[in-house]
Amino acid sequence: MLNEENNSLVLDRDVVARLKDAMQAGPDELLTFLQDPAADIVKAAIRNPLINESHVLTLLKGRDLHEDILRAIWNSRIAKDNHPIKVAIAHHPATSAAHLSEVLPFLYLFDLATLCALPGIAHDQKIAAERAIIRRLPTTPLGNKIALAHRATAAVVEQLLKEADSRVMAACLDNTQLKEGMLFQFLRSAASTPETISMIARHPRWKNMPSLKHAILTNPKTPLIWFTQWLKDLKFTEIRNIYNSQRLSQVQRREVQTELKRRGGSR
């Protein structure tokens, strides 16, 4: 029993000495303490006043860090005003969704976009980053919205579409994350305008999709040039179905009647 107590006392003294060394180590020695398998030693090294950005970013490259280490970094003096460290914490796979929600407000808009596109990002982390981007959109400058529309994820692109700005729309239409269903919903919404409808109608990727053609032909805001051009390419039964839509404007309905009569049919 006495030997066990003595061994424990020696062990405790050794741990205390290592903790003290970690907190007082010079810059070159710090990396050794930051790589220690004992979490308490690493956290003591993080509190070392000589720790710098390079030390912390090297530590954050380790993929097997525990959440408490990430918390210790986040709460440290060095992380307080250091943007690269905040970004590295956000990118780390061990950062929990709750912790990430604290970090996201400190990231720039395109930091968030990059985070969403990271390979292997957890679903809840991606959603949190997307929501952070969407919350900022009302105050985001137009140029940034256009740049974002080129690279954003599907959820963000869908939100950008709702703004119905033709300058942003052009970038959205070229984004590979944009889905046909999103455009269909946009064309069926009050947000669509003659200009944005025309952009979709002439876009090489979207103009030949049947569902979008139907949505354009049953949108009362569709410019007549597209309406009459596409109407002539439809089958007789398709034109009858268009006529039965309750969304047509009076001018569009007259055009349908004219086309039906031209083909020898009636309404």
Side-chain angles (χ1 to χ4, degrees):
M1 178 73 72
L2 187 59
N3 285 338
E4 289 182 2
E5 290 179 355
N6 287 337
N7 289 338
S8 176
L9 183 60
V10 171
L11 183 61
D12 288 345
R13 286 175 177 172
D14 181 59
V15 170
V16 170
R18 290 172 64 205
L19 290 171
K20 183 178 179 181
D21 288 343
M23 294 184 67
Q24 296 179 349
D28 294 336
E29 300 172 287
L30 256 177
L31 279 178
T32 301
F33 288 104
L34 289 169
Q35 294 167 358
D36 196 287
D40 286 341
I41 300 299
V42 177
K43 287 188 279 188
I46 292 169
R47 295 195 296 272
N48 187 309
L50 298 180
I51 196 168
N52 59 38
E53 177 185 299
S54 178
H55 290 130
V56 177
L57 293 180
T58 298
L59 175 61
L60 285 167
K61 289 178 181 178
R63 300 290 87 182
D64 57 348
L65 296 182
H66 294 167
E67 171 68 9
D68 59 343
I69 298 294
L70 292 167
R71 280 283 181 183
I73 295 171
W74 176 248
N75 293 323
S76 68
R77 170 194 58 78
I78 187 65
K80 183 177 180 181
D81 298 312
N82 191 295
H83 188 72
I85 291 177
K86 290 181 171 68
V87 172
I89 292 173
H91 285 197
H92 202 282
T95 300
S96 67
H99 189 183
L100 184 64
S101 67
E102 298 176 34
V103 180
L104 293 180
F106 295 92
L107 302 187
Y108 303 140
L109 182 69
F110 291 101
D111 292 333
L112 296 171
T114 299
L115 180 61
C116 290
L118 282 180
I121 184 174
H123 181 65
D124 55 352
Q125 290 177 321
K126 181 178 179 180
I127 289 176
E130 288 174 333
R131 288 175 177 170
I133 292 172
I134 290 170
R135 283 195 294 270
R136 296 187 193 185
L137 289 181
T139 57
T140 297
L142 176 62
N144 286 350
K145 286 182 181 179
I146 294 172
L148 186 63
H150 280 292
R151 56 181 287 196
T153 58
V156 177
V157 171
E158 186 172 19
Q159 190 65 34
L160 286 168
L161 280 178
K162 293 177 182 179
E163 298 193 4
D165 187 306
S166 60
R167 296 161 294 185
V168 177
M169 170 70 76
C172 288
L173 293 177
D174 290 332
N175 188 316
T176 57
Q177 297 296 313
L178 181 62
K179 308 299 181 186
E180 180 181 349
M182 297 177 189
L183 276 183
F184 180 83
Q185 291 300 324
F186 172 77
L187 288 166
R188 300 283 291 180
S189 74
S192 60
T193 65
E195 185 175 6
T196 55
I197 292 170
S198 294
M199 293 175 72
I200 298 170
R202 71 168 69 95
H203 196 279
R205 179 182 170 194
W206 305 110
K207 65 181 181 181
N208 294 319
M209 293 190 172
S211 68
L212 299 186
K213 274 193 170 185
H214 185 271
I216 289 173
L217 283 166
T218 54
N219 189 317
K221 299 177 185 177
T222 296
L224 204 56
I225 185 173
W226 294 112
F227 190 85
T228 55
Q229 177 181 323
W230 284 5
L231 197 64
K232 294 174 183 177
D233 295 331
L234 297 181
K235 297 177 181 178
F236 184 82
T237 54
E238 291 175 324
I239 298 176
R240 289 291 300 269
N241 288 336
I242 295 294
Y243 185 82
N244 291 331
S245 171
Q246 301 301 311
R247 293 168 52 86
L248 296 183
S249 68
Q250 291 184 352
V251 174
Q252 289 172 335
R253 193 168 296 278
R254 285 198 297 269
E255 289 295 326
V256 175
Q257 289 176 325
T258 299
E259 183 62 22
L260 287 172
K261 290 178 181 177
R262 186 181 71 80
R263 299 194 189 193
S266 64
R267 71 183 185 96

